[in-house]
Amino acid sequence: MRRTVPAATLALLLVLTACSAPSETPTSAPSPTGTPTASRQDAAQVEQTLASLRRVDDLPLYEMTYVGSYDATVGTDAAPASPFGCSLFVAAGDRSRPLFARNFDWDPNPAMVLRTDPSQGYASISLVDLAYLGVGPDLTGDRRLLNAPLLPFDGMNERGLAVGLAADDAARAEPVPGKPTVGSVRILRLVLDRAATVDEAVAVFTAHNLDFSGGPALHYLLADATGASAVIEFVDGQMRVERGQGSWQALTNVPVVGVAEQKRRADRRYDLIAQAMTDADGVVDAAAAFRVLAGVRQAHTRWSVTYGLRSGEVRLVTAGGAERRYELPMR
């Protein structure tokens, strides 16, 4: 059951490496172009949010506190234009401390650690590539930052549900009549806000059509605090789910649903992760997970992150080698 938190207490902490309801009917805060944003803040909340922005290192890494509420259903995804690759895995050999880990491999853009606590959803920490908000090098006062909740590329919520994405050239999603359509990155926000378990996350995906038109097709890795995991892919236009059966599950940029393990291992990064997880029987701590991520790191890896699905610990290492740690209170 979700917490009910007064809207006035909702706050988002944005860390760019990099991320009271108004008294009247909420409306979209205008962007510099006049188009609506995800913001459901009043003018004072917008001013307070943008005034909090500060740069903390040279990645560039920024911090900003977002005050107010947002609407995750507005706007369109600005998805990446070409797949550079990503590597993700779940280590669940020790069900008392399951871990979700990933490398995000992409263009050299600033990024964001985003903390959200929506009044009708779960609190979460997620990571956002700021380029897809359309922001420029000078972020001061840029209202497009108010759309930060819309584009999480990976994240974990207070119930220990984690999700991440990777490009999958083979995927094709055919729309199902009667279902709402959501962007292929936006779906992660809906999962983080609404799902406490892998089953609930799969249900969120099942309830929506995904729009891959703004960028490469994607597939997804999910895991929860019990150590359960699943890959979601789109095969011949249809959503398919492969549940984790052992002590680990991995995903890179090759299809896995219905694909023999030997064929999956033809992908170098998948093979390296699979070998490391098999040797460890899926029992790794954050330090060991980072060693695995380092082994599959690419020249364009922007961040490496681990999510402790029971502990709530988030450890982030950016392209420049800086490490940050966060604690997400779990319940």
Side-chain angles (χ1 to χ4, degrees), residues 172-174 176 179 187 199 201-210 220 222 231-243 257:
R172 178 173 54 85
E174 291 290 341
V176 177
K179 292 184 180 181
I187 188 69
D199 285 346
V202 170
V204 173
F205 272 92
T206 302
H208 294 84
N209 292 317
L210 293 196
Y220 307 84
L222 314 167
V231 167
I232 292 181
E233 289 185 342
F234 291 82
V235 181
D236 297 326
Q238 306 301 309
M239 187 180 117
R240 300 276 298 278
V241 180
E242 181 172 292
R243 305 276 180 162
V257 174

Side-chain angles (χ1 to χ4, degrees), residues 129-151:
D129 184 323
L130 285 179
Y132 304 108
L133 295 176
V135 297
D138 183 4
L139 303 179
T140 304
D142 195 326
R143 288 175 175 246
R144 287 170 293 191
L145 292 173
L146 304 178
N147 278 329
L150 303 183
L151 293 173

Side-chain angles (χ1 to χ4, degrees), residues 248-262:
W248 60 272
Q249 193 167 21
L251 189 67
T252 56
N253 301 102
V254 296
V256 299
V257 174
V259 177
E261 183 70 9
Q262 183 177 1

